Amino acid sequence: MDRSIGRDEIKLGNNGFAWSAGVSVGYVLKRNFGARLFCDYSSTSTSLGLSPSTELGIMDISSKNRTIHALTWGATASILF
């Protein structure tokens, strides 16, 4: 049996600390064409609360602090004027 958590059972807080950093390298390949590689990292601290749900087996209100990490890699190509 599939079980899913809906909006009523989970609450995300918005009172955490967030920061991000990134690096990019660009290069002009030809006179009117360039390329760029980039990498960005971000970290966010947030609170996560679960409401009681007998269907999901959650009997008590539960709250935890969690850190969410995101790493993004990418590349771009550009026409230069």
Side-chain angles (χ1 to χ4, degrees):
M1 176 165 90
D2 288 337
R3 294 181 183 177
S4 62
I5 296 177
R7 282 184 277 196
D8 297 334
E9 289 89 16
I10 190 166
K11 302 288 183 215
L12 290 174
N14 59 357
N15 56 353
F17 177 77
W19 67 275
S20 62
V23 64
S24 70
V25 176
Y27 184 72
V28 178
L29 299 170
K30 293 187 177 181
R31 182 174 168 236
N32 291 333
F33 186 72
R36 181 174 70 102
L37 300 173
F38 63 89
C39 178
D40 297 322
Y41 172 79
S42 63
S43 176
T44 304
S45 175
T46 188
S47 61
L48 176 69
L50 292 174
S51 299
S53 170
T54 54
E55 180 181 320
L56 297 173
I58 302 170
M59 300 306 165
D60 297 322
I61 294 175
S62 176
S63 179
K64 305 241 184 221
N65 290 327
R66 294 287 185 231
T67 302
I68 301 169
H69 303 278
L71 184 64
T72 305
W73 291 89
T76 62
S78 308
I79 298 173
L80 306 172
F81 295 102

